[in-house]
Amino acid sequence: MSSGDRTASGPPHDRYAPLTREFSQELTEDEAEDLLRCICFKTGPPRTVGAELEWLIHERSRPQAPLPAPRLAAALQAVRDRPLVSALTIEPGGQLELSSPPAASLMECLDLLAADLAVVRDTLRPLGLDLDGYGVDPWHARRERILREPRYDAMEASLARNGPDGRAMMCDSASIQVCLDAGLEEPGPLGYHRRWQLTHLLGAVLVAAFANSPVYGRRRTGWRSTRQSLWAYLDPVRGLAPAPGREPRAAWAAHVLDTPVMCIRAEDGPWTVPEGLTFRQWLRSRRPRPPRRDDLDYHLTTLFPPVRPRGHLELRMIDAQRGPDGWMVPVAVTTALFEDPEAAETVYRAVKPLAELAGPVPAPRNPLWLDAARYGLAVPDLHAAALTCFGAALEALPRIGATVAVLDAVAAFHDRYVVPGRCPADDVTDAKEVRS
């Protein structure tokens, strides 16, 4: 999810609710660090996959026309009234998100989401509306928030200190997120150490291959993935991965505790938006009130790195894709490259040299990730890695049970974009309908 995050378990975070003792008790610094090490990388054999699909909603016949907020709100309510298996979330600007439950296989995940998407589209069609898959809104920029809740008021106030990118992320962006198990405790291609490193190198290849947001508010931005550029610069720390080279659990725990608190929630009235107060400093000062377990859980939802460990690994770097089934390709490719041991080993060897291009700066603000977002597969090293990755995925997909239709969709994307070193953004840049 982007800014409309919800935790998968535990108490609700948008409002104060009766808290169990586990979540209401005060935390010490040592307890917080122990919790982070335990809850963020839950190891075991990779078995489940999930995906979160964000969509922009536009007028079906004239997507460039402004969509009045009351009309959008009525449409979203109509969708809420339909039975869905996936969790439905509305983002601050009115983007619609479907989050699948953990599925036992790639095809179970794809089939479930496809069925729910059909329900959503059938609901919107009589209203003259449709879902559009772009990383950022190509027609409209800086839309007003339609969600007025303390969480989003505090989020906008906090991110606005660093410029307009935070609001653009909240209201105008859409992504595809793939959720995979953290991996095995033991070393090897499915071990969590290896998978954590792989996400931060392969992630740049996924940014480049699926970049699909070169136009924002009818203007070319100079980025193949404008959405990724927003995430890179929306906050000095909040959107970054931990510094590379450390053991994953220790690195993530330190990163969480040393990231500034976005807000301190209150039962009544506006939430406090402190400036520069890290969670570690809050634990030590115990002011304005002692932090609790549910505050740590909430703090985790306000961190937006390209890969977020939440027990499983949440890969957050892929632009939304166009077409009714375009979203299936990145979900299928990513799952195949992580879940099939042979493909995982092949891809790890292919992307490991990219670490030299990345250097010591954390993703997504290092040269590798910035080049991926700006130039896509026009970067020779990223193009070479993508060719290997997609080749490995095409070989692995039958082994993990993908249907012929999914395999054909991945092969078509490979031939149209990966082989010539292009990405979907190269189509959008010259599309007349975007500029009209």
Side-chain angles (χ1 to χ4, degrees), residues 226-248:
T226 303
R227 186 198 63 83
Q228 186 58 50
S229 76
L230 297 176
W231 285 101
Y233 292 109
L234 62 84
D235 184 274
V237 181
R238 199 171 305 282
L240 295 181
R246 296 183 62 186
E247 193 279 327

Side-chain angles (χ1 to χ4, degrees), residues 393-409:
L394 285 166
E395 292 180 2
L397 282 167
R399 294 196 292 265
I400 65 171
T403 62
V404 172
V406 171
L407 193 63
D408 287 347

Side-chain angles (χ1 to χ4, degrees), residues 71-94:
R71 181 163 154 73
L72 176 58
L76 293 172
Q77 185 58 52
V79 175
R80 285 193 186 98
D81 292 339
R82 298 296 302 273
L84 299 170
V85 177
S86 303
L88 174 67
T89 305
I90 307 304
E91 297 294 325

Side-chain angles (χ1 to χ4, degrees), residues 306-394:
V307 183
R308 185 163 58 183
R310 305 182 70 179
H312 58 276
L313 300 179
E314 186 181 81
L315 282 71
R316 304 164 50 84
M317 72 287 296
I318 302 170
D319 279 3
Q321 300 292 295
R322 299 191 304 282
D325 300 322
W327 60 273
M328 290 187 179
V329 175
V331 177
V333 169
T334 305
T335 303
L337 297 182
F338 277 89
E339 302 307 275
D340 182 83
E342 184 177 338
E345 185 65 30
T346 298
V347 170
Y348 178 73
R349 292 176 182 174
V351 302
K352 191 175 181 180
L354 297 178
E356 294 185 12
L357 299 177
V361 178
R365 216 175 287 164
N366 62 46
L368 174 67
W369 279 69
L370 293 176
D371 279 355
R374 188 178 293 277
Y375 304 114
L377 292 185
V379 179
D381 290 308
L382 288 168
H383 184 209
L387 287 169
T388 300
C389 292
F390 273 76
L394 285 166

